[in-house]
Amino acid sequence: MSNSNQPYLTTLTPLRGIAALLVVVFHSNIFLIPFAPALPGHVVENGWLWVDFFFVLSGFIIAYVYGTHFIGAVSGTNYKKYIGARFARVYPLHLFTLVWAALCAWYIRSKAIGDVDPLINEVLNLKAVPASLMMMQGMHLYFTPPLNTPSWSLSTEWWMYMIFPFIMPFFSRIKMWGKVLILLLIAGYYVTLKYWIGPIAFSATPGKPTINLVSDFGFLRCMAGFMLGMLLYEFYAVRFGYNILKKSGAFVVFFAGVLIAMHAGVPDLLIIAFFPFILITAAYNTTTVKKVLEWRALQRLGDWSFSIYMVHVPLVYLFYAYNIRLHPEILSPAAHKTAMAAPPNYAAGGVLCIILVIATVVVAALTYRFVEVPARNWLNRLFDTKRKKVSAAALEI
């Protein structure tokens, strides 16, 4: 199922790869040895916000690729082909990494001695396999994401894919004033998530406002970003602000602005507000930024981005599997408390982060070639789903 009228947006693909690597760095700092101190404002500490970038990007690209198929009524044939294409894109790698993570969890638990810290116990929860197989692991069933933890966001996106065809006709018919009204409603929705839902989230500090909702209210967070991306496409389609936003300087200002804002500890909702501008300035650009983002290395990084996102935590589990052989008590609450009280070894954490990033890119290149692409091609033939390369830019999480 393709949209033959839409060209391949080469400028968006590398952004996904860069954002995926920044998530890897963020997870390295919290899952392995920390290499950066916990600060109120820090690019590393705020790395979780790149998941919201993915949500906005996915909403934009899904609308870009499939929007014209659902402007009118949603036919059964179109819907089946669309869902078949989405399934072929995300499920093979999800299944592969789920099996990998489950095997690691089984091994780690079998070697652990004594009680396991409650948080780690939930992460290694083998009872979450059925829910993960059904893409339900991010739908308020667990207080922290289980097994291949990043897949919580994939599960929330999957359900947004399911309802997207029924939302798109409404988005495509509203006038400009209506689009502005929806933008205000989405902004209000984000505020509600942070100040009403955030303080009661399982994974949050009780009473503390946050948008970092994962396996509990993660779907609501995904919906906000995805719909923001859909709305962004509507502005893109009418070339809103084109003469200004097409300039390379505009992209540099917004992208650098996000990094500076993260480092300075700017409130998360304001940082998310920058994301649509990064995407639309990249999509509009035809000069310097386009040339840079079309470098072969950056394009490959973008192609591998879904694999980067999905394989890096299973790779972390290999580190735990090795370490637990030497220290079988390491997962206990007492050991966790001792580790938290120990002086930080930022040098060791930095080395491990570099190793993880390199290993992730290498393994992602392999899973992309030998898992993602072959499985996707086979399933697309099975579902009779024909797609142009443009839809590869819909790099789902």
Side-chain angles (χ1 to χ4, degrees):
M1 183 179 187
S2 64
N3 189 343
S4 58
N5 296 321
Q6 298 286 46
Y8 177 36
L9 294 177
T10 55
T11 52
L12 298 188
T13 302
L15 298 181
R16 181 54 175 248
I18 294 168
L21 281 182
L22 290 172
V23 172
V24 175
V25 171
F26 167 72
H27 281 156
S28 179
N29 194 51
I30 62 174
F31 287 161
L32 298 176
I33 300 175
F35 63 88
L39 299 173
H42 198 287
V43 173
V44 174
E45 288 295 310
N46 285 312
W48 57 271
L49 279 163
W50 292 107
V51 174
D52 296 280
F53 178 82
F54 299 148
F55 291 150
V56 178
L57 174 58
S58 289
F60 176 84
I61 289 296
I62 293 297
Y64 178 85
V65 176
Y66 296 105
T68 57
H69 295 280
F70 302 112
I71 289 179
V74 180
S75 70
T77 300
N78 264 4
Y79 188 75
K80 289 178 182 178
K81 285 182 176 291
Y82 160 74
I83 292 300
R86 295 299 84 214
F87 184 87
R89 179 65 180 88
V90 304
Y91 203 83
L93 187 63
H94 166 61
L95 180 61
F96 177 82
T97 53
L98 173 61
V99 172
W100 178 357
L103 289 174
C104 287
W106 170 81
Y107 179 81
I108 293 169
R109 294 181 73 97
S110 70
K111 297 297 181 180
I113 293 178
D115 295 332
V116 176
D117 183 83
L119 181 65
I120 299 174
N121 188 58
E122 185 77 325
V123 170
L124 303 178
N125 185 1
L126 290 171
K127 293 180 180 179
V129 169
S132 297
L133 287 172
M134 294 185 292
M135 306 287 271
M136 297 290 293
Q137 68 274 30
M139 303 297 284
H140 212 284
L141 298 178
Y142 308 97
F143 70 83
T144 196
L147 300 173
N148 189 16
T149 57
S151 70
W152 74 266
S153 61
L154 177 63
S155 73
T156 61
E157 282 204 25
W158 172 255
W159 295 105
M160 283 306 302
Y161 300 155
M162 296 289 283
I163 65 176
F164 161 79
F166 305 100
I167 302 174
M168 191 62 203
F170 171 73
F171 268 68
S172 63
R173 292 169 186 163
I174 56 177
K175 304 298 183 182
M176 181 56 68
W177 67 266
K179 292 178 173 63
V180 173
L181 177 60
I182 290 179
L183 179 60
L184 294 175
L185 290 174
I186 291 174
Y189 179 37
Y190 267 115
V191 171
T192 300
L193 289 179
K194 177 170 183 175
Y195 292 100
W196 184 45
I197 302 297
I200 63 173
F202 295 152
S203 56
T205 302
K208 182 180 179 180
T210 182
I211 197 67
N212 192 14
L213 310 170
V214 286
S215 58
D216 46 8
F217 296 103
F219 177 71
L220 300 180
R221 173 184 173 190
C222 173
M223 181 182 290
F226 198 96
M227 292 182 69
L228 180 58
M230 290 176 62
L231 184 63
L232 177 65
Y233 168 71
E234 295 298 321
F235 284 105
Y236 168 85
V238 297
R239 288 292 190 260
F240 178 82
Y242 179 77
N243 289 333
I244 296 176
L245 298 176
K246 71 176 182 179
K247 299 179 184 299
S248 294
F251 173 83
V252 172
V253 166
F254 287 117
F255 192 83
V258 163
L259 298 179
I260 293 171
M262 285 184 173
H263 189 73
V266 171
D268 45 24
L269 293 185
L270 294 179
I271 293 173
I272 292 173
F274 274 87
F275 291 156
F277 291 98
I278 292 177
L279 293 175
I280 202 167
T281 53
Y284 281 162
N285 194 269
T286 59
T287 54
T288 305
V289 167
K290 181 178 174 65
K291 291 178 181 178
V292 171
L293 293 177
E294 286 182 343
W295 286 353
R296 184 176 178 83
L298 289 178
Q299 288 292 311
R300 294 292 76 75
L301 188 68
D303 290 338
W304 302 336
S305 60
F306 184 41
S307 277
I308 288 172
Y309 189 80
M310 294 295 285
V311 306
H312 74 277
V313 167
L315 282 171
V316 169
Y317 288 160
L318 295 181
F319 170 83
Y320 279 94
Y322 170 80
N323 204 28
I324 202 163
R325 295 175 58 199
L326 306 176
H327 308 284
E329 77 292 342
I330 198 171
L331 301 184
S332 68
H336 179 72
K337 183 177 180 180
T338 301
M340 293 297 292
N345 188 341
Y346 294 138
V351 171
L352 277 178
C353 180
I354 293 172
I355 293 173
L356 178 62
V357 168
I358 293 173
T360 296
V361 172
V362 171
V363 173
L366 294 173
T367 54
Y368 176 79
R369 180 175 180 180
F370 296 109
V371 178
E372 276 195 73
V373 173
R376 183 174 67 214
N377 290 340
W378 181 79
L379 287 171
N380 280 329
R381 288 193 298 269
L382 180 66
F383 299 140
D384 189 25
T385 303
K386 298 179 181 179
R387 303 189 308 156
K388 287 181 64 177
K389 190 181 179 184
V390 60
S391 56
L395 300 167
E396 303 84 351
I397 300 179

